[in-house]
């Protein structure tokens, strides 16, 4: 029988990294928290045979298996409207550092802040749960092929094949990607503030100037609140959508916070009408010309658990 694990300090020592990994795997703050909690329950109830060895590899394997199972269940459930990640507050030094691994030898590694961006997490939704795990371990947390194989119970050949396919599936994201540099964050903050001001004043000319011609907006109300049931495309359609709904948040209190690597708006509406969410987040993504290319709005209550 395996010896019991001394949990004193283990939870605080490993929780942040495991949560960081599980959030990228699931795109959900609440699900990441559940997976981490279940992982430590497993450590208490069914500990590994060798408790004298480092526990992080074992904890990572358990967490990844639980996260993959969760993703498979999620894909079998119907979801009303588009699915978006949970907004999380981020700082410049995004929490959760990768462990020591072999030096990276591949190109295009995603840093920790980019890998929690809405665009990146939405792109990951096109991958299978296993391919998602491979890409995150290899290209975000710098795991070697062998370490990735051990963590996901795959052969090294399968890791290489899955990694190649995952990279291919991410090609569209890679072609448009913009890592969240300080300059991009400041440009995003200015564009967002000007967009909100233009909406407040119904300044059509200013809105048109800020939006890219092929701008899109994706809203996630989870079937709980009013939201668009598909992604809206094109400057005219996006502008009309926001001008039509801006009155619903007329008395809202808006804060600018760093969410998922970029400045975003959090609106709290004190007395929302029927079907109107009491809180929502708005995150803007800029294109290479500095225009707003995508606007993500999340209002589903279950998605906002990580916000103050």
């Amino acid at each position: 029988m395996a010896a019991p694990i001394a949990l004193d300090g283990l939870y605080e020592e490993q929780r942040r990294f495991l949560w960081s990994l599980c959030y990228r795997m699931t795109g959900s703050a609440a699900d990441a928290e559940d997976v981490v909690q279940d992982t430590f329950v497993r450590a208490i109830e069914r500990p590994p045979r060798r408790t004298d060895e480092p526990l992080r590899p074992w904890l990572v394997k358990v967490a990844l298996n639980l996260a993959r199972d969760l993703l498979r269940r999620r894909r079998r459930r119907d979801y009303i409207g588009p699915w978006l990640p949970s907004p999380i507050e981020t700082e410049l030094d995004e929490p959760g550092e990768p462990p020591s691994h072999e030096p990276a030898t591949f190109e295009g590694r995603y840093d920790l802040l980019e890998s929690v961006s809405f665009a990146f997490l939405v792109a990951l939704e096109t991958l299978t749960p296993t391919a998602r795990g491979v890409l995150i371990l290899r290209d975000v947390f710098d795991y070697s092929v062998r370490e990735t194989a051990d963590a996901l119970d795959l052969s090294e050949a399968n890791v290489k094949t899955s990694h190649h396919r995952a990279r291919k599936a991410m090609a569209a994201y890679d072609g448009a990607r913009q890592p969240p540099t300080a300059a991009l964050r400041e440009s995003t903050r200015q564009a967002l503030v000007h967009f909100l001001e233009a909406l407040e004043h119904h300044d059509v000319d200013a809105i048109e100037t800020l939006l890219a011609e092929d701008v899109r907006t994706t809203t996630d109300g989870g079937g709980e609140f009013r939201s668009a049931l598909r992604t809206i495309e094109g400057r005219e359609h996006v502008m009309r959508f926001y001008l039509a709904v801006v009155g619903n948040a007329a008395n809202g209190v808006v804060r600018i916070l760093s969410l998922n690597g970029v400045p975003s708006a959090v609106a709290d509406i004190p007395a929302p009408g029927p079907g109107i969410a009491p809180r929502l987040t708005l995150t803007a993504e800029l294109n290479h010309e500095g225009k707003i290319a995508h606007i993500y709005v999340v209002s589903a209550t279950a998605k906002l658990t990580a916000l103050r």
Side-chain angles (χ1 to χ4, degrees), residues 50-70:
R50 295 292 303 272
T51 57
D52 57 325
E53 295 179 347
L55 283 172
R56 177 173 284 188
W58 183 86
L59 292 169
V60 165
K61 177 178 288 191
V62 172
L64 286 172
N65 280 330
L66 291 171
R68 284 190 290 175
D69 288 344
L70 186 150

Side-chain angles (χ1 to χ4, degrees), residues 12-277:
E12 288 305 319
E13 177 186 346
Q14 302 293 344
R15 178 196 172 277
R16 195 167 72 169
F17 173 75
L18 290 175
W19 191 94
S20 183
L21 172 63
C22 291
Y23 175 72
R24 290 165 175 83
M25 274 294 293
T26 65
S28 165
D31 286 344
E33 189 65 39
D34 288 345
V35 170
V36 171
Q37 295 293 336
D38 289 346
T39 298
F40 281 100
V41 169
R42 185 78 58 87
I44 295 170
E45 296 179 346
R46 284 177 281 171
R49 293 178 180 272
R50 295 292 303 272
T51 57
D52 57 325
E53 295 179 347
L55 283 172
R56 177 173 284 188
W58 183 86
L59 292 169
V60 165
K61 177 178 288 191
V62 172
L64 286 172
N65 280 330
L66 291 171
R68 284 190 290 175
D69 288 344
L70 186 150
L71 286 173
R72 294 182 186 110
R73 291 194 303 272
R74 189 168 80 191
R75 291 189 174 192
R76 291 196 295 266
R77 293 196 299 262
D78 291 332
Y79 194 82
I80 299 175
W83 184 96
L84 289 176
S86 301
I88 59 169
E89 296 184 46
T90 49
E91 301 297 337
L92 299 187
D93 54 344
E94 153 45 26
E97 68 284 351
S100 298
H101 292 298
E102 298 172 9
T105 57
F106 43 79
E107 300 177 358
R109 178 174 182 265
Y110 309 110
D111 67 26
L112 291 172
L113 204 56
E114 179 181 1
S115 66
V116 295
S117 69
F118 268 63
F120 184 81
L121 293 172
V122 168
L124 288 182
E125 287 293 303
T126 65
L127 306 180
T128 66
T130 294
R132 184 169 182 153
V134 168
L135 187 87
I136 290 169
L137 291 179
R138 293 285 288 128
D139 286 2
V140 177
F141 290 106
D142 208 6
Y143 274 56
S144 69
V145 172
R146 175 175 293 181
E147 290 163 332
T148 302
D150 289 343
L152 292 167
D153 282 327
L154 301 173
S155 68
E156 292 187 24
N158 281 342
V159 167
K160 292 177 181 178
T161 299
S162 294
H163 191 206
H164 174 74
R165 290 174 178 169
R167 280 276 187 97
K168 187 175 181 180
M170 295 288 284
Y173 167 81
D174 289 334
R177 65 182 285 215
Q178 292 197 78
T181 62
L184 179 62
R185 289 193 295 271
E186 178 56 24
S187 296
T188 302
R189 186 192 67 79
Q190 292 183 22
L192 176 63
V193 170
H194 291 156
F195 178 67
L196 294 174
E197 290 175 345
L199 280 178
E200 182 181 5
H201 296 97
H202 285 70
D203 188 337
V204 173
D205 290 339
I207 296 172
E208 289 182 337
T209 299
L210 291 163
L211 299 180
E213 185 175 351
D214 58 351
V215 64
R216 296 178 294 161
T217 191
T218 305
T219 62
D220 181 350
E224 186 179 6
F225 304 111
R226 290 184 197 170
S227 61
L229 296 180
R230 60 175 179 80
T231 294
I232 300 172
E233 302 181 357
R235 180 189 290 152
E236 187 69 23
H237 291 121
V238 169
M239 181 175 63
R240 287 180 180 176
F241 174 78
Y242 282 102
L243 286 173
V245 303
V246 68
N248 294 328
N251 298 319
V253 178
V254 178
R255 296 174 289 152
I256 304 297
L257 296 178
S258 178
L259 301 181
N260 297 75
V262 294
S264 304
V266 179
D268 289 294
I269 303 170
I276 306 302

